[in-house]
């Protein structure tokens, strides 16, 4: 009955998703402020159209939060669905094969910014609500909280959650904003990494200097910064900041074996991203390197002359953005401090160093023995005919730790994207199959969890 409904309505479902994808809700760029709000309005209306009892916007110091509810019965458990309607900037624009905000279907995939992260994914929950309303299949009370600042660190979400604990009361949080192993191998994400994001600046002279007149006698901030960044890893690929690994759990041999049991094709992995060889911390597999090990990466670096031709100059300044992916118990504030102190300590006296912290978030591990996890597992078993494999994803959703701390709620990460969907990259896409089977699996989850 659910499958038929999806088949009969899939063209409309897709059209509705496309309408959301056409609005450039780029949270990072203030020029899109109006579009971000318009998207929030569309989400609110979509919830009402799908059968929500009510839905409204909550204003924040930044972009609005959409909140809606469907109450079914006082006896039924309550599921809090979280998602985000904001998207990453589409840049670099010239690398897109079709316009980022004009959804284009090719090879069974929807190409658009936000197709997978996260419009296509949270919208599955809206359509699941429609089906449950139309077919009277409600298993659970539903609360929806769809925010507009996830891609910029959710700064205003923590205060909102703290101020609205009653409103957000639920039995579990359900999020579709992660990846599956593949359409043949369903999985449920049980771990996410945390994040500390830094910006550093190295400064030497009080102005740019002639590199002939002064060269050799004055520290070059670009040379110094490069050397400092290079020193942040040792020759084993480990992060060389004292204390960085102090709180990192060493998993047991059995736990590691379990994680490595997930199917992984290294040749295909390399081919898909155009690599001959992989690179990373010695002694760990690729699955471990992205799932259970912390990392440090330079995300951007600039300084000096980068225009056409050549300019012989000793720049006065050089900067970099550096982020660290964290694992459970590595607290972002502690890591930020370790990084700052270390980075300042390795600077030679010939330069001044400034370190600034951007947003961060804690890692999360979700239980695999809760009623909600078992309901999700049964839903996959029923719709996919296969038991989902628990996995650890490398990305971050800081709100998961916040839900646990502030509301005492566990999360089920039932994502339907693929790591190859080009999230945050040009040509982001989402499989139509993933979208449709996701809706079916969410309806099944609601039935199983409602019974538990
Ligand atoms: N949906 C992603 C996180 C993600 C992607 C988790 C794939 C697992 C698999 C989310 O929108 C995101 O991009 N998060 C940011 C962190 C945030 C604080 C900006 C990230 O991971 O870089
Ligand atoms: Mn996301
Ligand atoms: Mn994202």
């Amino acid at each position: 009955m659910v499958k038929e409904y999806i088949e009969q309505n899939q063209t409309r479902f897709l059209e509705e998703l496309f309408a959301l994808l056409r609005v450039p809700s780029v949270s990072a760029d203030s020029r899109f402020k109006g579009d971000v709000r318009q998207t929030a309005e569309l989400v609110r209306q979509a919830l009402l159209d799908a059968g929500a009892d009510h839905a409204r916007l909550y204003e924040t110091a930044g972009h609005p939060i959409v909140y809606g509810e469907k109450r079914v019965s006082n006896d039924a458990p309550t599921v809090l669905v979280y998602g985000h309607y904001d998207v990453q900037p589409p840049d670099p624009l010239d690398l897109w094969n079709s316009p980022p905000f004009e959804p284009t279907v090719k090879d069974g995939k929807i190409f658009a910014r936000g197709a997978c992260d996260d419009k296509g994914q949270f919208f599955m929950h809206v359509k699941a609500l429609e089906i449950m309303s139309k077919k009277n299949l409600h298993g659970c009370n539903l609360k929806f909280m769809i925010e507009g600042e996830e891609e910029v660190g959710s700064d205003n979400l923590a205060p909102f959650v703290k101020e609205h604990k009653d409103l957000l009361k639920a039995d579990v949080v359900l999020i579709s904003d992660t990846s599956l192993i593949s359409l043949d191998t369903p999985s449920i994400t049980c771990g996410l990494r945390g994040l500390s994001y830094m910006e550093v600046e190295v400064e030497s002279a009080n102005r740019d200097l002639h590199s002939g007149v002064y060269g050799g006698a004055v520290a070059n901030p670009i040379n110094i910064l490069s050397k400092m960044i290079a020193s942040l890893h040792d020759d084993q690929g480990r992060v060389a900041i004292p204390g960085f690994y102090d709180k990192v759990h060493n998993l047991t041999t059995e736990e590691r074996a379990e994680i490595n049991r997930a199917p992984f094709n290294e040749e295909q992995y390399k081919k898909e991203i155009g690599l001959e060889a992989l690179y990373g911390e010695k002694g760990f597999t690729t699955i471990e390197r992205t799932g259970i090990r912390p990392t440090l990466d330079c995300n951007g670096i600039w300084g000096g002359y980068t225009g056409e031709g050549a300019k012989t100059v000793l720049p006065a300044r050089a900067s970099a953005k550096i982020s660290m992916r964290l694992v459970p118990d590595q607290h972002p504030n502690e890591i930020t401090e370790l990084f700052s102190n270390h980075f300042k300590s390795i600077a030679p006296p010939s330069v001044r160093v400034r370190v600034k912290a951007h947003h961060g978030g804690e890692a999360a591990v979700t239980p695999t023995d809760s009623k909600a996890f078992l309901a999700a597992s049964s839903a996959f078993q029923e719709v996919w005919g296969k038991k989902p494999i628990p996995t650890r994803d490398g990305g971050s959703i800081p709100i998961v730790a916040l839900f646990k701390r502030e509301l005492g709620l566990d999360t089920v990460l039932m994502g339907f994207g693929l790591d190859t969907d080009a999230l945050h990259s040009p040509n982001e896409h989402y499989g139509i199959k993933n979208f449709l089977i996701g809706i079916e699996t969410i309806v099944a989850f609601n039935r199983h969890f409602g019974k538990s």
Side-chain angles (χ1 to χ4, degrees), residues 84 86 116-118 150-151 176-178 396-397 423-424:
H84 62 95
D86 66 320
C116 176
D117 186 12
D118 178 43
E150 197 275 345
E151 299 292 11
S176 295
D177 194 22
T178 51
S396 308
I397 308 180
L423 316 181
H424 297 199

Side-chain angles (χ1 to χ4, degrees), residues 253-270:
T253 317
E254 295 83 68
E255 285 170 319
R256 289 180 64 178
E258 173 68 32
I259 283 168
N260 285 302
R261 217 167 287 144
F264 177 73
N265 183 331
E266 188 166 311
E267 286 314 308
Q268 200 182 320
Y269 184 88
K270 286 193 288 192

Side-chain angles (χ1 to χ4, degrees), residues 1 37 52 77 88 166 240 257 320 333 350 370 375 428:
M1 179 153 84
R37 174 167 298 272
Q88 286 275 326
D166 272 339
N333 293 344
S350 48
S370 65
E428 177 181 348

Side-chain angles (χ1 to χ4, degrees), residues 38-65:
Q38 194 199 332
T39 309
E41 290 289 351
L42 287 176
V43 175
R44 185 184 85 88
Q45 193 55 52
L47 282 169
L48 291 172
D49 294 346
D53 303 328
H54 50 85
R56 58 167 283 195
L57 303 194
Y58 280 90
E59 298 304 328
T60 73
H63 302 300
I65 295 167

Side-chain angles (χ1 to χ4, degrees), residues 82 84 86 88 116-118 121 149-154 175-180 189 191-195 197 323 325 359-361 392-399 413 417-419 423-424:
Y82 165 84
H84 62 95
D86 66 320
Q88 286 275 326
C116 176
D117 186 12
D118 178 43
Q121 293 220 58
E149 300 191 307
E150 197 275 345
E151 299 292 11
V152 288
S154 305
I175 303 179
S176 295
D177 194 22
T178 51
S179 310
L180 293 165
T189 302
L192 291 164
R193 289 194 286 189
L195 184 70
Y197 202 113
S323 69
R325 294 284 169 178
H359 56 65
R392 304 265 189 126
D393 282 9
S396 308
I397 308 180
I399 186 74
L413 293 159
L418 299 175
D419 282 343
L423 316 181
H424 297 199

